[in-house]
Amino acid sequence: MEIKTLTPVHIGSGNKLTRTDFIVRNGKVIVLDAPKLFRALEEKGCDVMNIVNELSYRSLDDLARDFGLDAMDFRRYEVKLTGSIGEISEQIKTGGRAYIPGSSVKGAIRTAILWYILKNDKSLLNFAVKCVEELTKRRITNKTLKMADDKIERKVFGKDPRNDFMRALKISDSTPFDKLKVYEVKILGSNIRVCVECIDENDTAGIGIKIDTASKFREYGIKDIDDIKEITRDFSLALIGKELSYNYGDKTKFILKGIKNSKGMLLRVGWGTGWYSKTIGLLLEDHPKFESLRRKLGLGRSPRTKRFYDVFPKTRRVTVDGKPLGWISLR
């Protein structure tokens, strides 16, 4: 199948690129072989620790030039830049080339299928709400939140990993993408901005998807990939409908409306995609107990004032030029 990025996608490697790793020239981020550059500076008699200290107010490009070196001679790769620059969260890569892990795609499909099953089975939805209610009786930690999530998923997908019917869905990592770009990202509802390396919009790669049609999928009326495509589209359209109610700018809303018309299996993957994309929040928020539960769980509470926001979730992430993150299609 073909996988296409409809908007920028960031799936982090866990690595951060700092001022010691790159320079900026002519609207491009030039990622350097930093160890090689610093060895060359030491050979020139440079005190590397002084260089690191000076990077708070001077560019590595200028500092290298002071010692007769051109930082471009230590270039690993370069990408275009949209916005201002700071510390950069690096995109996951293999062999130096960006890709989308099959686990990210499968996770997005899993969330859509969970939403579909609970939407069509009120008893399972009430079970999910009961699991959330039980959380309020104990100290809320990441561990207890995961325990509740695991309990819901065991009820729906199977009692343990060996019996999880999603094992019947096999998804490979994508082949490499070609278009990388660094974006400054605004966190709407706050004053925070961050920089992330993304697979840019309108890039394509290949990905393999197989489903064992003799599996438990059939118990939920899921016979083949086409049925999964319809479920993910329904979830994504519901998600877009919710996003369009947020106070985005005109450009972001225009892009979201355009995504609704895209062909194939619609999914939202990676960083910056929000609470609704990764949870059954679209179902939970319509439940009569949700508002009281979310306050008991501390969801949407200001860490500074301890007051609850009227709107939850309060923040959204978009690129500095208004693009929502993480939308892909598979055809």
Side-chain angles (χ1 to χ4, degrees):
M1 296 183 78
E2 178 188 81
I3 179 170
K4 180 179 181 180
T5 54
L6 305 175
T7 63
V9 173
H10 173 69
I11 299 171
S13 68
N15 187 40
K16 301 282 189 181
L17 301 176
T18 70
R19 292 285 185 175
T20 63
D21 297 303
F22 64 85
I23 61 173
V24 178
R25 282 191 188 179
N26 302 319
K28 292 183 178 180
V29 176
I30 317 297
V31 180
L32 307 172
D33 184 338
K36 186 177 179 181
L37 172 57
F38 280 98
R39 283 196 300 270
L41 287 167
E42 285 181 320
E43 289 171 3
K44 293 277 189 177
C46 165
D47 184 329
V48 172
M49 287 309 300
N50 285 342
I51 289 285
V52 171
N53 291 333
E54 288 187 52
L55 285 174
S56 61
Y57 56 91
R58 295 187 68 195
S59 73
L60 186 56
D61 206 5
D62 289 340
L63 291 167
R65 198 174 292 118
D66 287 349
F67 290 88
L69 296 173
D70 184 351
M72 285 295 286
D73 293 338
F74 303 86
R75 171 187 175 278
R76 283 176 51 215
Y77 65 93
E78 63 184 59
V79 295
K80 292 181 180 178
L81 168 66
T82 294
S84 301
I85 198 68
E87 184 178 75
I88 303 168
S89 294
E90 185 182 36
Q91 171 70 26
I92 193 170
K93 303 182 182 77
T94 180
R97 300 185 69 189
Y99 73 102
I100 292 178
S103 58
S104 295
V105 176
K106 188 171 182 176
I109 292 174
R110 187 181 182 92
T111 300
I113 289 175
L114 182 63
W115 169 85
Y116 162 78
I117 291 171
L118 267 59
K119 181 169 72 79
N120 292 291
D121 190 328
K122 191 172 181 179
S123 65
L124 281 176
L125 179 58
N126 286 334
F127 174 81
V129 172
K130 186 178 178 181
C131 290
V132 176
E133 279 185 293
E134 289 175 357
L135 278 179
T136 64
K137 300 173 184 177
R138 64 181 78 181
R139 182 171 175 266
I140 308 300
T141 65
N142 287 335
K143 183 178 179 180
T144 55
L145 287 169
K146 187 177 187 308
M147 286 171 60
D149 181 64
D150 289 347
K151 190 173 182 180
I152 296 166
E153 294 210 358
R154 284 196 302 270
K155 182 76 170 177
V156 174
F157 294 117
K159 62 182 180 180
D160 55 47
R162 289 186 63 188
N163 290 285
D164 189 323
F165 74 76
M166 286 294 290
R167 289 185 66 193
L169 183 65
K170 311 291 186 185
I171 304 179
S172 70
D173 293 341
S174 77
T175 58
F177 288 86
D178 294 321
K179 294 168 63 178
L180 271 179
K181 192 171 189 178
V182 172
Y183 280 95
E184 182 184 9
V185 173
K186 300 184 291 184
I187 301 180
L188 304 178
S190 78
N191 295 318
I192 300 171
R193 297 193 177 202
V194 295
C195 289
V196 293
E197 187 179 48
C198 297
I199 301 168
D200 206 5
E201 61 190 336
N202 297 320
D203 199 0
T204 58
I207 194 167
I209 299 184
K210 294 180 182 178
I211 183 173
D212 177 359
T213 55
S215 69
K216 193 179 175 182
F217 272 110
R218 285 185 171 274
E219 292 184 21
Y220 294 107
I222 303 169
K223 302 181 295 297
D224 52 29
I225 294 294
D226 285 339
D227 288 337
I228 292 176
K229 180 178 77 172
E230 289 305 310
I231 290 168
T232 57
R233 282 193 70 85
D234 287 348
F235 177 64
S236 292
L237 291 177
L239 183 58
I240 290 170
K242 183 65 182 180
E243 289 294 274
L244 286 171
S245 70
Y246 188 77
N247 189 30
Y248 284 117
D250 290 343
K251 180 176 179 179
T252 305
K253 289 188 174 183
F254 178 80
I255 292 170
L256 288 169
K257 290 174 182 176
I259 291 169
K260 292 171 67 175
N261 299 321
S262 300
K263 304 296 183 183
M265 187 186 298
L266 279 182
L267 295 168
R268 201 175 189 193
V269 300
W271 178 86
T273 54
W275 186 71
Y276 289 110
S277 298
K278 300 182 185 300
T279 69
I280 54 168
L282 289 171
L283 297 176
L284 292 177
E285 71 173 7
D286 290 331
H287 197 279
K289 293 184 177 180
F290 175 71
E291 188 59 26
S292 64
L293 285 175
R294 77 112 171 162
R295 288 174 181 267
K296 288 177 182 177
L297 291 170
L299 300 175
R301 182 170 59 189
S302 168
R304 184 174 59 85
T305 67
K306 306 302 181 185
R307 295 175 61 184
F308 284 91
Y309 300 116
D310 292 333
V311 177
F312 172 80
K314 177 176 176 281
T315 60
R316 299 290 196 281
R317 290 163 173 80
V318 296
T319 66
V320 72
D321 56 348
K323 297 169 186 172
L325 295 160
W327 285 102
I328 62 171
S329 68
L330 279 68
R331 298 179 64 182

